[in-house]
Amino acid sequence: MRRADTAEEAAFRAEVRSWLEANAPAWAGQAGPAVLDHSVEAERAQWKRAQEWQRTKYDGGWAAITWPREHGGRGGTPVQALIFAEEQARFGIPGSFIDAFLGMIGPALIRFGTDEQKARYLPPMLRGDELWCQLFSEPEAGSDLAAVRTRGRVEGDELVIDGQKVWTTSAQYADKGFIVCRTNPDVPKHAGITFALIDMHQPGIEVRPLVTVRGDRHFNEVFLSNVRTELSNVVNGIDRGWPVTTFVLMNEGAFIGTNDQGRTSAEDLVAEAAASGRLEDAVVRQRLGVACVRDRVLGLLRDRLKDALLDGRAPDVDGSVLKILSAEWGHDKAATAVWLQGASGLLAGGDAPQGGLWQDQLLSRGSTSVGGGTLEVHRNGLGERALGLPREPRFDRDVPFKALKISS
Amino acid sequence: MPRELADFNLDEERVAFRDTLRRFVEEALPMTAVRGVIDSGVAFERDVWTRACDELGLAGIAIDEADGGQGFGAKELAIALGELGRGLAPLPLLASAGLAARVVAAVLGRGKAGEWLGPVAAGEIATLAWLEAGGDWDPAATALEVEGQGAGVRLRGEKHFVLDAPQAERIFVVARAPGSHCDEGLGLFAVEREAAGLSIHAQEGLDPTRSLARVVFDGAPARPVGEAGAAGPGIRRGLEEASALLAAEMVGGFQQVLETAVAYAAERHQFSRPIGSFQAIKHKCADMLIGFEGARTASDAAIVAIDEDDPDRAELAMVAKAHVGPAYVRAAIENMQIHGGVGYTWEYDAHLYYRRAVSSGALLGDATFHQDALVRRIAARRASTTTGATPAQGGRR
Ligand SMILES: Cc1cc2nc3c(=O)[nH]c(=O)nc-3n(C[C@H](O)[C@H](O)[C@H](O)COP(=O)(O)OP(=O)(O)OC[C@H]3O[C@@H](n4cnc5c(N)ncnc54)[C@H](O)[C@@H]3O)c2cc1C
């Protein structure tokens, strides 16, 4: 049960609130509709806004609450981070992709990085001065990330990278990237991978935006030829990138699990249906009832994750449960909303009710059902990790990478 | 299951209480005993119930001390029900403590119901007769009218689907003042087992571990419980609490189903590998876990809301009852499927859990019923918020 604040927490919350009152950006509380504008200009404006807000937080000492002070953090607790996130949401300030990469690569550098790497990369990351992207997936390495083929070779004191990445979120806006590449094909797949930090502004990098189902340019193809980075930018050593990679993926999972910026609520649909008289229809009540129950259950599950955090316990519900339900139920709710619009459900964008909000959500299922690991892969994880079921027989563990069969 | 599902929201004392109950059920009512009860056609073994009451104080666990009980909360009763649900234990705990006692306490007010609840706490079995032949879950649909007034009223008519009636010492009956409608005029009346004009006819249940009966009143004398005609709100509140408690009972059975399925998937081999390594089976198990996490989270929230008298408790009870039932049913089906041919035998227990899941999913209102009620409530709440009235809302939203 989401308990009441302790005196100390209440004091912290008050401090956060008064700071937000003084510093919240002018656009706070009106972030909604802008998200539906998928033009490049709108995306640029979003980034600019997010960067400015990150800077404001940094100046106020709120950029990374749980990070140690020596790395520019506040040295605070996860509970304080939760309180800040709650208050920020209350002010109508949605999270941005900055939060996502901060939560993924930041802790990985703190854990695996050299002092030099921390000093070089963490402060501008926290200030929002440098934007990051995750260069993991490739055309032939998605769920099977350890099959990456992008080559890395050591030349003098540099790592030289050639290959292709794909589905790279925000690569077109990124200044830096963290990449996994194959530095040794003669050993089994997990043992020949190197994790490195690269500068995205160099001649060998070509970024081609890909248009998603929703019509935005969320992710990109990234072509790398003769891309160079100093060996001092290798994290955890040559061929020893896999532990860093799994650590990043774990952080990504945690971020997805607790992120509860639901833009839409089934209760709003009920209120609208009541106002329009549609609620007289038992079929309407039925479909809305399903959506309302699910919204509440998902909210209670998220509370449970937060409660564990508040009590300092390990979470007792697996993040994949929330990820799967968010993706599936979020989509079903949108389908109900669009159905409820009747013939207007044929429309989209500005011609549709509410600027096409629900149509947009209907079409964005893949962002959670594929991004951050597919639902199938997460179900495997639940079966194996949470329930202890046996893995599938594998043929690729102890064989040199170069001997493996990879499609195309 | 290689790893015990983490105890969720239970402190040490409650874990110990849960373990005591689990041992009791395993020892006093193993599946062989449950099968015995099913084969003999009696509703349950009275002496096991007596032991549960004498040794564990089960019947009165959540009844106020002032009413003769032990004064623990709905949480403890939910734990007990969960353990009985896990073992499909045919005992009248839901009927007596989870249904009748909750309704009586809600009608009279806690601490003012000792006359009726004292005996229940001591192990006398009570049940609630509110449903009628039409099977409408809403108490407003009550048609049975009382005859006469004051202390000397009589009942003439029928109630259906009454839990554990053949063994009950006392039946609390929902009936209405002549000519009244909807919630108005609803009253609660106690009929003694020996009353003249009372006959009880067992009904065959889809779930053979839960006793159902048709109860016929032929001018049976009854005593009003509380003010006759004004019991509507109490009855509703009691039924709402019973829904949350039944959800908790289902979660106990759900956990058993999940654990059984996963254990079998890990141990049964085909094609020289455990069937649980096939994704079709692994994903079924993962989906059971997903369903289970939602179910126990929703049920726990509803139970905690009762104990905290959270203004959100009615909605949380609806959410729990609406969500747990279908998830449990799904898991019970998949458990049978994962067991292959064995899962289709009478002898194997999987179908008993399926029967229990389907029947408990419907009892006290199925998912459709509670979803509908929830939507109406939300609409009313939202309408009152927009007109400026204070919403009766808890923080958990
Ligand atoms: C919105 C979005 C943003 C993304 N952002 C990034 C990013 O910033 N950086 C980055 O590196 N990547 C990113 N990705 C890529 C993402 O991680 C991959 O798309 C994902 O891991 C799946 O890989 P794939 O697309 O190659 O599909 P595949 O792995 O080829 O999967 C195809 C199908 O096969 C199924 N499948 C595959 N393996 C198994 C298995 N073992 N068991 C059962 N089914 C299986 C999958 O579930 C899927 O249905 C993003 C993706 C999306 C949609």
Side-chain angles (χ1 to χ4, degrees):
Chain A
M1 187 62 63
R2 180 78 174 80
R3 60 166 169 76
D5 288 346
T6 63
E8 221 174 302
E9 288 159 9
F12 181 81
R13 191 182 292 278
E15 190 187 343
V16 171
R17 242 178 233 183
S18 66
W19 183 80
L20 282 169
E21 260 150 33
N23 294 284
W27 46 265
Q30 29 171 310
V35 180
L36 290 174
D37 183 349
H38 296 318
S39 67
V40 175
E41 298 72 45
E43 263 175 34
R44 283 237 164 75
Q46 288 269 346
W47 274 111
K48 191 159 167 287
R49 219 167 74 163
Q51 281 182 287
E52 284 166 5
W53 175 232
Q54 188 64 27
R55 178 67 202 225
T56 311
K57 284 200 281 191
Y58 180 84
D59 291 340
W62 303 100
I65 293 181
T66 54
W67 292 18
R69 279 178 183 279
E70 60 198 285
H71 302 312
R74 198 182 183 82
T77 63
V79 176
Q80 292 179 336
L82 176 64
I83 291 174
F84 188 89
E86 282 175 353
E87 291 302 314
Q88 181 177 278
R90 230 175 48 89
F91 271 76
I93 306 169
S96 74
F97 191 65
I98 295 184
D99 301 315
F101 67 65
L102 275 182
M104 285 192 277
I105 184 65
L109 286 185
I110 291 174
R111 163 107 181 247
F112 294 96
T114 60
D115 289 345
E116 189 196 339
Q117 287 165 350
K118 291 174 197 169
R120 163 61 188 88
Y121 292 112
L122 294 179
M125 186 189 298
L126 278 187
R127 281 195 301 267
D129 287 350
E130 287 178 351
L131 301 178
W132 285 75
C133 64
Q134 180 191 40
L135 298 150
F136 279 10
S137 305
E138 296 179 7
E140 302 309 328
S143 303
D144 183 12
L145 182 55
V148 285
R149 293 197 296 188
T150 290
R151 285 296 309 262
R153 61 178 199 281
V154 177
E155 256 186 43
D157 57 0
E158 284 182 326
L159 181 70
V160 184
I161 304 166
D162 289 283
Q164 188 199 335
K165 295 290 173 178
V166 73
W167 323 128
T168 318
T169 301
S170 306
Q172 70 270 54
Y173 301 107
D175 304 297
K176 303 285 167 193
F178 49 102
I179 189 166
V180 289
C181 57
R182 180 146 321 268
T183 35
N184 187 353
D186 300 322
V187 291
K189 61 204 281 194
H190 299 98
I193 291 173
T194 294
F195 189 109
L197 313 174
I198 64 170
D199 186 4
M200 292 296 286
H201 306 295
Q202 54 174 302
I205 292 184
E206 189 194 339
V207 177
R208 291 191 203 148
L210 292 167
V211 180
T212 70
V213 169
R214 294 165 84 177
D216 63 9
R217 282 154 208 81
H218 179 99
F219 48 34
N220 304 266
E221 291 176 298
V222 179
F223 297 89
L224 307 104
S225 83
N226 206 20
V227 166
R228 287 168 184 270
T229 193
E230 285 174 23
L231 285 181
S232 60
N233 286 320
V234 168
V235 183
N236 206 38
I238 297 290
D239 290 351
R240 290 171 51 206
W242 189 246
V244 189
T245 312
T246 50
F247 184 77
V248 169
L249 293 176
M250 209 175 68
N251 291 334
E252 187 176 9
F255 176 79
I256 290 166
T258 49
N259 178 19
D260 53 357
Q261 269 146 12
R263 296 181 290 138
T264 55
S265 112
E267 291 203 0
D268 289 345
L269 291 175
V270 172
E272 286 156 29
S276 69
R278 298 282 316 269
L279 216 54
E280 301 298 310
D281 182 343
V283 181
V284 169
R285 290 198 302 278
Q286 193 48 52
R287 289 195 64 167
L288 289 178
V290 171
C292 288
V293 167
R294 289 173 168 183
D295 262 14
R296 292 297 298 266
V297 171
L298 204 47
L300 291 167
L301 280 165
R302 289 194 177 112
D303 282 352
R304 218 173 120 188
L305 275 187
K306 287 185 193 168
D307 288 347
L309 195 81
L310 290 170
D311 299 348
R313 285 181 285 118
D316 55 9
V317 53
D318 198 293
S320 293
V321 169
L322 279 98
K323 144 108 184 183
I324 293 168
L325 291 180
S326 311
E328 295 183 343
W329 289 357
H331 168 267
D332 289 357
K333 180 167 66 177
T336 294
V338 171
W339 166 79
L340 201 59
Q341 292 173 4
S344 300
L346 298 174
L347 305 174
D351 288 337
Q354 291 171 276
L357 174 80
W358 288 107
Q359 280 77 356
D360 188 67
Q361 185 172 327
L362 183 77
L363 296 171
S364 68
R365 182 178 191 268
S367 70
T368 19
S369 70
V370 176
T374 69
L375 297 186
E376 291 74 19
V377 166
H378 278 272
R379 281 190 161 89
N380 289 345
L382 279 179
E384 289 159 15
R385 187 182 55 238
L387 295 173
L389 286 171
R391 293 176 176 277
E392 295 200 70
R394 288 186 67 165
F395 312 103
D396 61 346
R397 277 209 156 268
D398 307 313
V399 190
F401 177 74
K402 64 180 180 199
L404 293 175
K405 179 176 180 326
I406 291 179
S407 57
S408 89
Chain B
M1 175 144 333
R3 175 167 99 58
E4 175 76 15
L5 285 168
D7 293 316
F8 161 50
N9 223 356
L10 291 183
D11 53 27
E12 251 171 64
E13 252 168 71
R14 283 167 169 158
V15 168
F17 174 61
R18 199 263 329 260
D19 290 345
T20 306
L21 279 157
R22 190 166 296 181
R23 274 195 302 274
F24 177 82
V25 174
E26 280 167 4
E27 180 253 312
L29 281 169
M31 264 305 165
T32 46
V34 174
R35 292 282 181 165
V37 168
I38 295 172
D39 294 342
S40 70
V42 300
F44 56 88
E45 293 193 48
R46 184 77 197 212
D47 55 328
V48 178
W49 174 246
T50 308
R51 271 187 61 199
C53 297
D54 293 352
E55 291 170 23
L56 304 168
L58 268 201
I61 194 150
I63 292 175
D64 264 32
E65 279 178 297
D67 290 329
Q70 301 199 46
F72 289 100
K75 180 96 180 182
E76 279 71 19
L77 181 54
I79 293 170
L81 285 165
E83 288 309 310
L84 299 195
R86 182 182 172 88
L88 298 179
L91 291 177
L93 187 65
L94 181 73
S96 203
L99 191 52
R102 301 310 290 194
V103 168
V104 170
V107 166
L108 292 177
R110 293 168 66 172
K112 297 179 203 148
E115 177 193 356
W116 305 105
L117 297 187
V120 173
E124 278 192 26
I125 295 164
T127 189
L128 184 79
W130 87 105
L131 297 167
E132 298 181 358
D136 193 329
W137 302 110
D138 190 338
T142 301
L144 183 69
E145 295 183 345
V146 288
E147 297 178 359
Q149 276 189 347
V153 298
R154 291 183 179 278
L155 295 173
R156 197 177 307 280
E158 292 190 358
K159 287 285 178 181
H160 289 239
F161 323 108
V162 183
L163 300 181
D164 296 311
Q167 270 86 345
E169 265 81 32
R170 182 171 287 150
I171 301 177
F172 292 97
V173 184
V174 175
R176 61 168 63 257
S180 65
H181 294 287
C182 298
D183 278 18
E184 204 139 319
L186 285 183
L188 190 64
F189 301 88
V191 176
E192 304 302 312
R193 198 249 213 54
E194 311 78 45
L198 172 72
S199 58
I200 295 171
H201 311 270
Q203 293 173 305
E204 181 178 340
L206 176 68
D207 172 7
T209 62
R210 183 103 77 194
S211 138
L212 295 175
R214 182 167 62 93
V215 177
V216 180
F217 309 97
D218 186 10
R223 278 185 294 161
V225 178
E227 199 188 323
I235 291 167
R236 273 194 189 282
R237 168 113 188 221
L239 290 174
E240 162 199 314
E241 293 179 359
S243 300
L245 289 162
L246 176 55
E249 189 203 85
M250 285 192 274
V251 168
F254 198 154
Q255 180 162 351
Q256 174 67 19
V257 163
L258 170 64
E259 290 176 6
T260 310
V262 171
Y264 191 74
E267 135 208 327
R268 166 81 178 165
H269 281 62
Q270 285 293 280
F271 301 95
S272 303
R273 49 193 266 215
I275 57 167
S277 67
F278 295 110
Q279 276 187 350
I281 300 296
K282 186 177 289 171
H283 286 193
K284 281 186 198 300
C285 292
D287 283 332
M288 280 188 198
L289 177 65
I290 294 170
F292 177 70
E293 291 295 5
R296 67 167 163 176
T297 304
S299 124
D300 189 70
I303 294 296
V304 171
I306 295 176
D307 282 336
E308 295 185 346
D309 202 13
D310 188 328
D312 206 15
R313 65 183 149 57
E315 287 185 27
L316 285 169
M318 292 167 188
V319 168
K321 190 65 183 49
H323 187 67
V324 176
Y328 183 16
V329 168
R330 188 77 235 155
I333 291 172
E334 297 297 16
N335 183 39
M336 293 195 285
Q337 184 67 19
I338 287 170
H339 279 82
V342 164
Y344 191 56
T345 60
W346 174 266
E347 197 184 338
Y348 194 74
D349 296 331
H351 74 105
L352 295 178
Y353 284 89
Y354 179 56
R355 290 161 179 270
R356 170 60 70 91
V358 172
S359 110
S360 299
L363 185 61
L364 283 157
D366 59 12
T368 322
F369 176 84
H370 286 284
Q371 280 152 2
D372 196 84
L374 178 67
V375 165
R376 290 173 191 273
R377 244 189 111 93
I378 290 170
R381 164 157 62 71
R382 293 286 295 244
S384 70
T385 338
T386 49
T387 55
T390 339
Q393 258 317 292
R396 293 183 75 79
R397 161 156 331 249

